[in-house]
Amino acid sequence: MHIKSPSPNGSLLKIAVEELTKQGCSVTVSDLYAMQFEPRATRNDIVGHLHNSEAFNYGVETWEAYKRGCLSKDLVEEQKKVREADLLIFQFPLFWFNMPAILKGWMDRVLVQGFAYDFSKIYDGGLLQDKLSLFSFTTGVSQEIYSKEGIGGDIRYVLWPMQHGIMHFCGVKVLEPHICYAPENVSEEKRKEMLAAWTQRLKTLWKEEPINCSPEWYFK
């Protein structure tokens, strides 16, 4: 019998669920692939009539639908999870200097105006300012490549649109990211060390202070 071991991201997710549950936290997982989550932002996200059927504007239509309680069921369910959460952990493999398309689609569709922000309520004034977030991800290449001297540049440059442009924009406080560099290319022993480091960090996660969400953190 051949039992396939979980992927690095699957292992990191499993550890987070187990460790946080052990601490007494109520943990809810949205496995976007298993859910077959729709990443495309379309007319289907609005139930019933449009605010302006002559010229479809997704941002305006979802804002109006949110106020009317007319967003699609999948969005309402995900927004409920966000509303009830104290901490949002995003676990993913880095694809092309970015989160996978399905996760970006979650951001695009779930964090709509009226729910996550208003144009008079952004960044420190965003509507989700009672929440913490943490980006935990794996890379395909080594830490040396994602350094200021490396060809990929500092990994913090990659985090700017995700942490600052999405989370901080919506008022969410951001914890230091957790990065596992090239887990597929290291020894089994090194992979175990990576998982142990994540377990250890989770034990004291609630004592951590958020990063200083300013351009300096990313580009200094």
Side-chain angles (χ1 to χ4, degrees):
M1 181 169 65
H2 177 68
I3 300 173
K4 191 180 178 195
S5 59
S7 68
N9 280 277
S11 298
L12 291 159
L13 167 64
K14 184 170 180 284
I15 286 169
V17 172
E18 288 173 357
E19 180 56 40
L20 292 170
T21 301
K22 203 186 295 179
Q23 293 175 22
C25 300
S26 172
V27 181
T28 304
V29 176
S30 284
D31 183 337
L32 301 184
Y33 288 105
M35 292 158 60
Q36 297 190 308
F37 185 80
E38 169 59 77
R40 295 171 298 179
T42 70
R43 162 72 175 89
N44 295 335
D45 294 347
I46 298 102
V47 176
H49 71 84
L50 291 175
H51 175 69
N52 180 356
S53 55
E54 299 298 311
F56 181 73
N57 179 311
Y58 185 83
V60 171
E61 293 298 342
T62 49
W63 181 34
E64 293 294 336
Y66 176 76
K67 290 189 283 187
R68 297 196 312 269
C70 291
L71 287 173
S72 60
K73 184 169 175 282
D74 60 337
L75 299 191
V76 172
E77 286 172 0
E78 291 305 298
Q79 288 176 347
K80 181 174 184 286
K81 293 175 192 174
V82 172
R83 194 177 289 114
E84 292 173 353
D86 298 308
L87 167 66
L88 304 168
I89 298 179
F90 298 99
Q91 182 66 61
F92 59 95
L94 196 68
F95 287 173
W96 293 113
F97 281 44
N98 213 326
M99 62 185 80
I102 198 167
L103 179 53
K104 179 57 165 59
W106 185 95
M107 303 280 182
D108 293 345
R109 296 181 62 227
V110 174
L111 303 177
V112 301
Q113 186 177 356
F115 170 69
Y117 69 92
D118 251 320
F119 283 113
S120 60
K121 294 174 181 175
I122 56 174
Y123 292 109
D124 290 341
L127 298 178
L128 301 179
Q129 55 191 286
D130 59 334
K131 309 199 180 298
L132 290 168
S133 65
L134 192 164
F135 285 82
S136 172
F137 60 94
T138 59
T139 69
V141 294
S142 69
Q143 189 167 359
E144 290 70 38
I145 287 178
Y146 281 118
S147 65
K148 277 186 176 160
E149 297 73 34
I151 195 167
D154 195 322
I155 194 72
R156 291 187 179 197
Y157 305 158
V158 173
L159 288 163
W160 169 255
M162 301 184 221
Q163 293 185 165
H164 189 79
I166 302 176
M167 289 296 109
H168 187 203
F169 186 88
C170 298
V172 181
K173 295 176 181 66
V174 180
L175 295 176
E176 194 80 35
H178 196 86
I179 309 166
C180 290
Y181 290 96
E184 307 276 12
N185 302 334
V186 298
S187 66
E188 185 61 32
E189 186 183 352
K190 185 66 181 161
R191 267 195 295 277
K192 283 179 181 169
E193 285 173 16
M194 288 179 176
L195 297 178
W198 179 225
T199 305
Q200 203 54 44
R201 182 177 177 191
L202 288 163
K203 289 183 191 302
T204 56
L205 197 65
W206 298 103
K207 295 177 181 173
E208 291 186 17
E209 288 294 321
I211 65 166
N212 171 25
C213 271
S214 66
E216 289 74 37
W217 189 87
Y218 299 90
F219 303 112
K220 64 186 177 189

